[in-house]
Amino acid sequence: MADTKHSLEVTKGGYMEEPIPMGSSTSNSIDGENATLLGPFPTEEEWATLPRVPGRIPWTAWTVAVVEFAERFSYYGTTAVFVNFIQKDLPKGSKTGAGFLIKPGSGALGLGQRASTGITTFNSFWSYFTPLFGAYLADQFFGRYLTIQYANVFSIVGHLIIIMAAIPPVIVHPNAAMGVFAVGLVIMGIGTGGFKSNISPLIAEQYKDQKAYVRVSKAGHKEIVDPASTTARIYIYFYLLINIGSLCGSLAMVYSEHYVGFWLSFTLPTIIYCLCPLILWKFKKYYTLAPPTGSVMAKAAKLIKLAFKGKWSWNLNTTKRNLRDENFWNNVKPSVIRARGDTVPAWMTFDDEWVDEVRRGFLACKVFLWYPLYWLAYNQMTGNLVSQANTMNLGKVPNDIVSKLNPIFIIIVIPIMDFGIYPLLRKLGINFSPIKKITMGFMLSSAAMISACVTQYFIYKMSKCGDDINRLSKTRKDCSAPITVWVQVFPYALIGMSEVMASITKLEYAYTKAPKNMRSTIQALALFTSAISSALGQALTALSDDPLLVWNYGSVAVLAFIGGVGFWFTFRKADKQEDALNNLKESKFIGRTQGDEERAGEVGVVQHDLSKSEKM
């Protein structure tokens, strides 16, 4: 039987075997290029005509999802009360910050909306900048599992320090509380970075079938079990658990803030977070754990530099033509360099297949470059929209509880998409690819900001305090616009739908397009786009106050729309290559030098000693 050919651009077909029946064991999943597939690799005709279905999600992946639930419960439960904690004054006579839903509500530091937007934006930036270091440590030294466990220690310490900022003896001194709070934010962000860059690849790695195959369904129809579809399903439920955690944590902590105090809002998430290291420790022996392979970023950077060498020209058309050359990446493959009679550089210790994987990863990074424009809209939820709620008719609803419409909507929509919309699209023969999903996500986020802009316009128009409502509401009780706060269902629902399209797909794209020994790194680069967006958001901080909030939402809406249009026209050709990119022949390059092996051995000794001590 001929060797498996994994790229559709090469095979022009697949195995000449009968498809396996549905429900067959997955114990023979491929683990390397020479292993036997569960069934015949799809022919080109089958790729074009057969429906693609996801495989079964392994139970170990669900335990990792529960860990993510606990971490997000903790993170969002804590950050849900940041705006009121920073923006509003400590209620008169209070030592906890609890406002009991009486205007002007709960508060602590009294720094105003602009400061609260700036600090929450910094927290978002820091939490998505630190994953770069978490990915490096995982790939180079510790592996994903140990890096996550070390990150858990930092997160718990950061949470404890933030609790100290809210205890009665400290909260009554705003300057001291702010200092302690800032230290806690920085340390917690370090933990978040080490956690987030590695938990996403860890959950997808629990699914072992890396290549597509054809099987017969229970109804007697042939179908393709597609690893990319399985990865997409894993991440859609991963995201579901994220939002259930976010919702539960936020609801509980917001009411804790208003009826007990900020110290309880920061303490309960810390307790829940302690489940993360315990669950990971309990199920460690069942996990598929990729060992540290040594950072290959240096080799990837040299490869990219070599590929671009000589391609630049003062003539823009010449440069574009060089960069679009179909042999752009083939020319830097080791075999091609040898065939030309040139000397292969000493650092080029990888095979041709790894060059293809780097090309694919490079494409993913270009996709992520557009995401800062998307996150600009998303980040409005954590600051300005919470403040906007406070200027409308709340009734007995806390201003920072309305934002929970977002995770509620996501929790409702995800099962509908997985069991209804996506199967229907497959049945109709519509390939709703990642590029199409991301484009749709941009457009929905733009629509969300348009709705927020319209709402803000009418708040200014209908409030007795006009376009100075946030400042005057501190001394007047008649500033709230006669508009029900539930009109915010539109921005929160639209943002939620956009997340299902763009945010979940980003996780999927980062995993499926990354070289196997760069998954944490590519995931970290994807997360880093949120940090870039937060930095851009700092430039818009000046608009995050009266009377400029209409311009704030309107500007973000325009940027998100431009991002969506630009994204589609940039990657519409790559969209047609999706199957070929997902089925490249897998590289055998691991990425270690001799020094890396020695250091990995030392880490292995430490891990062995730790395991022995755990048993004792």
Side-chain angles (χ1 to χ4, degrees), residues 16 29 33 129 262 267 283 350 405 419 457 459 497 599:
M16 298 300 295
S29 302
E33 286 300 311
F129 172 72
F262 288 102
T267 300
F283 295 104
F350 43 80
L405 289 169
F419 293 106
Y457 170 80
I459 288 172
M497 190 64 191
R599 284 192 294 272

Side-chain angles (χ1 to χ4, degrees), residues 121-134:
T121 301
F122 165 77
N123 178 59
S124 179
F125 168 83
W126 182 240
S127 296
Y128 289 100
F129 172 72
T130 52
L132 294 174
F133 299 99

Side-chain angles (χ1 to χ4, degrees), residues 178-201:
M178 182 64 236
V180 176
F181 180 73
V183 172
L185 277 187
V186 171
I187 295 176
M188 189 174 77
I190 294 173
T192 300
F195 185 95
K196 286 195 69 64
S197 58
N198 293 294
I199 198 71
S200 297

Side-chain angles (χ1 to χ4, degrees), residues 56 100 134 136 145 160 177 298 333 336 401 445 528 553 600:
R56 182 177 299 173
F100 300 95
Y136 174 78
Y145 176 84
L160 291 173
K333 290 182 176 180
V336 176
I401 208 73
S445 67
F528 183 60
Y553 296 122

Side-chain angles (χ1 to χ4, degrees), residues 573-616:
K573 292 183 179 178
D575 185 54
K576 299 176 182 178
Q577 303 171 3
E578 182 68 19
D579 289 332
L581 291 171
N582 288 337
N583 290 281
L584 293 175
K585 184 178 180 181
E586 189 174 301
S587 171
K588 294 182 175 64
F589 173 60
I590 297 176
R592 293 187 185 278
T593 64
Q594 184 176 354
D596 291 327
E597 293 285 2
E598 291 170 355
R599 284 192 294 272
E602 293 171 0
V603 171
V605 171
V606 173
Q607 291 177 341
H608 179 68
D609 290 340
L610 286 173
S611 297
K612 288 175 62 179
S613 63
E614 289 170 356
K615 292 177 181 178
M616 295 173 64

Side-chain angles (χ1 to χ4, degrees), residues 299-311 325-340 342-345 347-356 358-359:
K299 288 185 185 291
K302 289 179 180 179
L303 176 64
I304 294 169
K305 181 180 179 181
L306 181 63
F308 278 88
K309 186 178 180 180
K311 301 297 189 297
D325 183 0
E326 62 180 11
N327 291 314
F328 181 87
W329 290 99
N330 286 333
N331 289 334
V332 293
K333 290 182 176 180
S335 65
V336 176
I337 295 176
R338 292 190 192 96
R340 289 199 304 261
D342 296 336
T343 302
V344 177
W347 51 266
M348 195 173 279
T349 59
F350 43 80
D351 50 26
D352 288 357
E353 288 74 22
W354 197 69
V355 177
D356 287 329
V358 171
R359 171 176 64 89

Side-chain angles (χ1 to χ4, degrees), residues 71-84:
E71 191 272 341
R72 292 290 90 181
F73 179 104
S74 171
Y75 180 84
Y76 283 109
T78 302
T79 58
V81 301
F82 277 1
V83 171
N84 285 349

Side-chain angles (χ1 to χ4, degrees), residues 29-91:
S29 302
I30 68 163
D31 186 17
E33 286 300 311
N34 297 321
T36 303
L37 285 171
L38 280 170
F41 189 76
T43 65
E44 197 169 85
E45 181 183 357
E46 287 170 334
W47 276 112
T49 59
L50 294 183
R52 306 174 195 189
V53 298
R56 182 177 299 173
I57 300 176
W59 70 268
T60 49
W62 290 108
T63 66
V64 178
V66 171
V67 171
E68 177 69 358
F69 162 85
E71 191 272 341
R72 292 290 90 181
F73 179 104
S74 171
Y75 180 84
Y76 283 109
T78 302
T79 58
V81 301
F82 277 1
V83 171
N84 285 349
F85 183 77
I86 299 166
Q87 178 177 338
K88 296 183 181 180
D89 293 312
L90 193 70

